[in-house]
Amino acid sequence: MGVQFSMSVNNILNTSQSGIYASQTTLQTISHNIANANTTGYSRQKVTQVNAPMGLGVQIRDISRQLDHLLDRRQELGMSETGSLDAKSRFLEQMENIFNESAGEGLNSRLGDLFTAADYLVDNPTNPVNREEFITRGQSVANYIQKMDTTLTGLLTPVDKEVDVLLDDINARLKAVRDISAVITGRGGSDAPLDLLDQRRQMVLELGKLVNIQTLDMPNNGMQIMMGGGQGLLADSVHAATLARSTVKNALDPTDPSKTTDFKGITLDGRDVLRIQGGELGGLIEVRDTLINGKNGFATQLQDLADEIRFQFNLIGSTTVGQNMNTSQTGAFALGTSLQTPINALVTDATSPLYSGAPVDFSRSQDGEMVFAVGKDANHLDHIVRISVTRSMTIQDVVDAINNATDQDGNTGYMSASVTTDNHLRIQSATGQYYGTLSDSSNMLTAFGMGVLFSGTAARDMGVNPALIDDSNTLGVGRMVAVYGDPNDPTRITSATFDDGDNLGALAYSRLRDVKVLIGNQTATLTGHYAAVSGALGAVINQNKESMSAQQAAQDFLETLRQSTSGVSMEEELTDLLRYQRTFQGCSKMVTTADQMMQTIINMVG
């Protein structure tokens, strides 16, 4: 009987010991939760107790984190979107300043000033002050477009440098996740280091803000990380991929591989990544290659607008005549290196690597006729020189056609052409003769830059014709009038007249403010096109802001949900603290009672 009693006392001691151990472990976990209540990314830990077999007290089955894996995945995806929107927001604000018209100092106001100067020319075309003002306003437009392009494209380099910094950051973070995964998986699933799992989760969330990722749980608390497109970034603790710059430049337009940006693509372990979306990396690349520099990017739209402004004003200038008419003119545009190439085969896109310097507005040329009126003064413009040109001709062919041209009576020598030493086209009339352009249905004179207002091949180098800056009297504000004096052929021009006070050219400049032109798939005035570009940028900025607000609200909501599941509730922890403290005290009391019983037995035996 004494032996049985002794065994019962031992059972009480063992049972009480298990309760003390379980309570102690739980109290330690509770204190750990309370200490980390404000630790970012910490997940509440919970001790799960089960009854021991044979009625011998309690056992700890496991200590686990309180998690909702679905919420974790949604947070990972949300971080990627947040990173992308944040990256775009920083540069969209700078782009907005470039197109800002709020202070009345933007491109729209400068175009308005140019048209107003044209109105003054209409009222008084012979006033030299009005000519100077028109040229000055034109120079203001050109300089501002050049400044806008320089500032806008100037954002590309800092964006690309940020891409380099991000690649290094992503690589470092991948290696850090790999290293911590090695520690976690090295411990095995039965003794999981819960705090390290929380740290890894926080590291993955921060990585997800930089690049769009997806995670996949592996055995023994391992993890695989992939990019949004399925490319592997992390294979558990075995391999962390390396992102680097490619040797191949990005395509500006996927449909035209010949056009590339100045920026290299990205490789993943040496293999080119065709597309990166999401995260700060994806946001920066979208800013660089789509919003600014893309096929429909805002730098491209500004370029298209600059091209149209240049062409429309120059189209008028090439068929106007200065107050003193002309004895010679030199084109504002260099001819390039392909004088023997058919015009319709010339590359006129200045951004193409195949561009050889040809006048870019040859893209607007067509088969047609250039008509000049030549004479000894404005009252004797009796020689009409017609020159037929086609796009299948070369530049040299056009030069030869001008040199071989005859007047209406078959006489040669009234007009000639040559290529200057600095590679511009020069046309001139015979000695003692003056000339002016009656018409040009081919647009070739516009392309060569004869009498035009604007120079340059793109927004980045747009300027005013140097000849006008040197001598404002060469600005054409009037137009010659054809005389049809052949009774047998009413369509035949026999001579022309010119009034040095004529304002038809200035009137054409003034009326250009209301002329609708086609750019892309939209028809509008020049100022209307600019307003559309500014409005489109504003829409992108507002959409990004709204998306940021919505995304932040979604992330806050997810965090609230996560806190309700994984966060530390001080009320619950303090309640558990009291409960398990009482359990600990009760078990301790049982040990004391068992000890007293054992002492009684010993005393009885003694």
Side-chain angles (χ1 to χ4, degrees), residues 252-535:
L252 180 63
D253 178 0
T255 63
D256 185 359
S258 68
K259 296 180 181 179
T260 62
T261 69
D262 292 329
F263 308 107
K264 295 178 180 178
I266 294 174
T267 63
L268 178 66
D269 285 340
R271 298 185 301 274
D272 286 322
V273 180
L274 297 180
R275 193 173 186 183
I276 293 179
Q277 291 180 303
E280 289 187 25
L281 182 61
L284 290 173
I285 292 175
E286 183 179 351
V287 169
R288 187 192 68 189
D289 295 347
T290 302
L291 292 178
I292 296 179
N293 214 28
K295 182 180 180 181
N296 297 310
F298 289 99
T300 305
Q301 293 185 56
L302 178 63
Q303 177 61 60
D304 292 342
L305 178 61
D307 287 343
E308 197 64 35
I309 291 173
R310 182 190 65 242
F311 177 75
Q312 293 298 331
F313 275 91
N314 288 356
L315 187 64
I316 295 171
S318 64
T319 55
T320 58
V321 183
Q323 189 173 4
N324 299 322
M325 297 191 293
N326 307 306
T327 57
S328 68
Q329 287 176 295
T330 300
F333 304 114
L335 302 179
T337 59
S338 304
L339 302 187
Q340 302 297 336
T341 301
I343 291 172
N344 57 12
L346 289 171
V347 175
T348 56
D349 182 357
T351 64
S352 171
L354 304 177
Y355 179 63
S356 61
V360 294
D361 285 330
F362 270 140
S363 61
R364 309 287 193 103
S365 65
Q366 56 193 21
D367 296 350
E369 186 179 54
M370 301 182 292
V371 182
F372 299 98
V374 187
K376 62 182 181 179
D377 55 46
N379 298 317
H380 298 86
L381 299 170
D382 301 326
H383 304 281
I384 307 301
V385 180
R386 294 175 177 268
I387 305 164
S388 295
V389 291
T390 66
R391 282 176 51 79
S392 61
M393 297 171 66
T394 67
I395 293 176
Q396 187 59 54
D397 290 338
V398 175
V399 172
D400 294 340
I402 295 174
N403 287 327
N404 296 326
T406 62
D407 68 0
Q408 72 273 32
D409 298 320
N411 300 312
T412 62
Y414 283 101
M415 293 295 297
S416 62
S418 60
V419 177
T420 65
T421 55
D422 59 349
N423 203 33
H424 292 247
L425 179 67
R426 185 172 186 268
I427 60 176
Q428 62 186 36
S429 55
T431 302
Q433 302 289 314
Y434 296 89
Y435 77 93
T437 304
L438 271 174
S439 64
D440 176 22
S441 60
S442 70
N443 295 340
M444 293 282 187
L445 293 176
T446 302
F448 285 120
M450 296 299 173
V452 299
L453 175 62
F454 291 117
S455 61
T457 61
R460 64 177 178 270
D461 62 351
M462 190 171 181
V464 166
N465 188 350
L468 300 183
I469 296 175
D470 292 342
D471 184 3
S472 62
N473 288 324
T474 60
L475 175 68
V477 294
R479 281 180 169 169
M480 289 183 169
V481 178
V483 176
Y484 300 89
D486 188 342
N488 298 319
D489 185 0
T491 64
R492 181 171 180 262
I493 302 174
T494 56
S495 62
T497 62
F498 178 67
D499 181 355
D500 60 8
D502 183 78
N503 68 354
L504 289 178
L507 191 60
Y509 282 129
S510 176
R511 289 174 175 172
L512 185 57
R513 63 157 57 91
D514 299 317
V515 174
K516 293 185 177 182
V517 296
L518 178 66
I519 301 179
N521 57 3
Q522 183 179 19
T523 300
T525 63
L526 294 175
T527 54
H529 278 294
Y530 179 70
V533 174
S534 300

Side-chain angles (χ1 to χ4, degrees), residues 108 133 322 503 538 596 600:
N108 244 357
E133 178 68 10
N503 68 354
Q596 291 173 350
T600 300

Side-chain angles (χ1 to χ4, degrees), residues 214-227:
Q214 297 175 348
T215 59
L216 181 65
D217 291 334
M218 303 295 287
N220 294 328
N221 293 306
M223 174 179 285
Q224 184 175 348
I225 301 178
M226 299 171 291
M227 292 181 66

Side-chain angles (χ1 to χ4, degrees), residues 591-605:
V591 171
T592 302
T593 301
D595 180 61
Q596 291 173 350
M597 292 172 65
M598 185 64 71
Q599 289 295 330
T600 300
I601 293 171
I602 293 172
N603 291 334
M604 289 174 62
V605 173

Side-chain angles (χ1 to χ4, degrees), residues 76-95:
E76 288 174 10
L77 294 174
M79 290 298 288
S80 171
E81 183 66 15
T82 299
S84 176
L85 293 171
D86 285 346
K88 288 190 288 186
S89 176
R90 296 199 309 274
F91 289 96
L92 283 172
E93 290 177 0
Q94 298 180 59
M95 292 169 63

Side-chain angles (χ1 to χ4, degrees), residues 23-90:
S23 299
Q24 187 178 33
T25 302
T26 304
L27 288 170
Q28 183 178 354
T29 302
I30 291 171
S31 65
H32 188 60
N33 286 338
I34 293 173
N36 286 281
N38 296 316
T39 301
T40 302
Y42 179 78
S43 301
R44 179 174 180 251
Q45 296 178 10
K46 180 180 180 181
V47 177
T48 302
Q49 299 180 6
V50 295
N51 61 302
M54 305 298 291
L56 296 178
V58 65
Q59 290 180 340
I60 294 176
R61 186 176 67 187
D62 63 26
I63 304 175
S64 61
R65 298 183 300 156
Q66 299 294 97
L67 293 175
D68 184 329
H69 292 286
L70 178 59
L71 279 178
D72 285 353
R73 295 294 180 267
R74 291 174 65 183
Q75 277 193 309
E76 288 174 10
L77 294 174
M79 290 298 288
S80 171
E81 183 66 15
T82 299
S84 176
L85 293 171
D86 285 346
K88 288 190 288 186
S89 176
R90 296 199 309 274

